[in-house]
Amino acid sequence: MSLSAKDKDVVKAFWAKVAPKADDIGQDALSRMLVVYPQTKTYFAHWKDLSPGSAPVKKHGATVMGGVADAVGKIDDLTAGLLDLSELHAFTLRVDPANFKILAHNILVVFATKYPNDFTPEVHMAVDKFLAALARALAEKYR
Amino acid sequence: MVVWSEQERSIINSIFSSLDYNDAGPKALSRCLIVYPWTQRYFASFGNLYNAEAIKSNPNVQAHGIKVLHGLDRAVKNMDNIKATYAELSVLHSEKLHVDPDNFKLLADCLTIVIAAKMGSAFTPEVQAAFQKFLAVVVSALGKQYH
């Protein structure tokens, strides 16, 4: 299920629309993930405060969305473009790749709440494919 | 046994009592058929599903979306025993409809997106958690009688 030229166009156009709120989106998605999928909190035991909108959640949400923005720019070759990030996740962070799907879902939910008219089924499909491709690129170096 | 807090019950009841089935049902089903096109395999008799526009305006999809959403009513009314409530429906989906139970989760995710879009910021993490917990129990119950 690789990204077609149309998928890439749809993703880039939607991203251009939502990019101004990227930090807020990241913080919201991460907050939801920690509440709705409590098992994901195990990766953040070193944070003082895991509640929605807390300082560490805000900061990390921005970091994560920075990664997504980077990926949009490298959409024509995600595997090569995200090599460093993949090594980070594989060897240092060692996040179980199943969690990429969980975070992706929450990003989609945030898009739906914030952009109900723009997040059409067609956009939803393209963005879902993109986040799945991103996750695959991130998992590239795992084994 | 699934345990529901008073808050969770209240959230679920509130969502469904203010739900426009005729709007959300078609939206959820058509979104599922568009975002996960392989789910169209179960609707060969529905006519034109060739593209997103055709799917969204297909009257069979609309009618079926409403029907499926109303199917959740019994779970809302019997939250403490969803598994037993859906035993027959589970057998139907397995023996007669031959639906791969993985599809239930796909439709549930699309319904979550539709409700999120409708509620906006009112769809807080807590509301999302309760709604997804409810759908997860429904999905599990629908898959329970498969063998």
Side-chain angles (χ1 to χ4, degrees), chain B residues 16 19 21 68-78 86 134:
Chain B
F16 279 90
L19 194 55
Y21 287 75
V68 165
L69 200 53
H70 275 296
L72 291 177
D73 289 343
R74 264 188 299 157
V76 177
K77 289 196 180 75
N78 295 284
Y86 277 162
F134 173 75

Side-chain angles (χ1 to χ4, degrees), chain A residues 100-133:
Chain A
F100 301 152
K101 222 175 174 191
I102 291 175
L103 181 55
H105 168 76
N106 285 293
I107 291 173
L108 296 178
V109 168
V110 174
F111 285 154
T113 62
K114 287 184 152 54
Y115 304 93
N117 298 320
D118 296 299
F119 196 62
T120 62
E122 297 92 313
V123 169
H124 177 170
M125 188 200 69
V127 174
D128 191 33
K129 278 178 80 172
F130 166 67
L131 291 176

Side-chain angles (χ1 to χ4, degrees), chain A residues 1 28 31-32 35-37 52 105-106 108-109 112-114 116 119-122 124-125 128, chain B residues 31 34-36 38 52-53 56 109-110 112-113 116-117 120-121 123-126 128-129 132:
Chain A
M1 294 193 263
D28 197 348
S31 299
R32 285 171 190 280
V35 168
V36 182
Y37 303 88
H105 168 76
N106 285 293
L108 296 178
V109 168
T113 62
K114 287 184 152 54
F119 196 62
T120 62
E122 297 92 313
H124 177 170
M125 188 200 69
D128 191 33
Chain B
R31 191 169 280 259
I34 293 166
V35 178
Y36 309 108
W38 54 93
E53 279 320 303
K56 280 188 248 186
D109 282 349
C110 285
T112 301
I113 294 291
S121 55
F123 196 65
T124 63
E126 288 70 31
Q128 182 184 344
Q132 289 196 203

Side-chain angles (χ1 to χ4, degrees), chain A residues 44-81:
Chain A
F44 305 103
H46 55 286
W47 284 355
K48 273 198 177 59
D49 186 357
L50 282 109
S51 54
S54 70
V57 170
K58 263 199 167 104
K59 180 161 176 270
H60 198 62
T63 303
V64 168
M65 284 318 262
V68 174
D70 190 39
V72 174
K74 296 172 175 166
I75 202 168
D76 288 318
D77 194 345
L78 287 168
T79 312

Side-chain angles (χ1 to χ4, degrees), chain B residues 7-49:
Chain B
Q7 203 203 11
E8 285 170 334
R9 289 178 200 274
S10 151
I11 287 171
I12 299 304
N13 280 303
S14 165
I15 290 176
F16 279 90
S17 62
S18 58
L19 194 55
D20 181 356
Y21 287 75
N22 294 341
D23 178 60
K27 278 191 172 142
L29 184 60
S30 58
R31 191 169 280 259
C32 187
L33 296 173
I34 293 166
V35 178
Y36 309 108
W38 54 93
T39 57
Q40 293 169 26
R41 76 188 301 284
Y42 301 107
F43 304 104
S45 64
F46 274 25
N48 188 357
L49 299 177

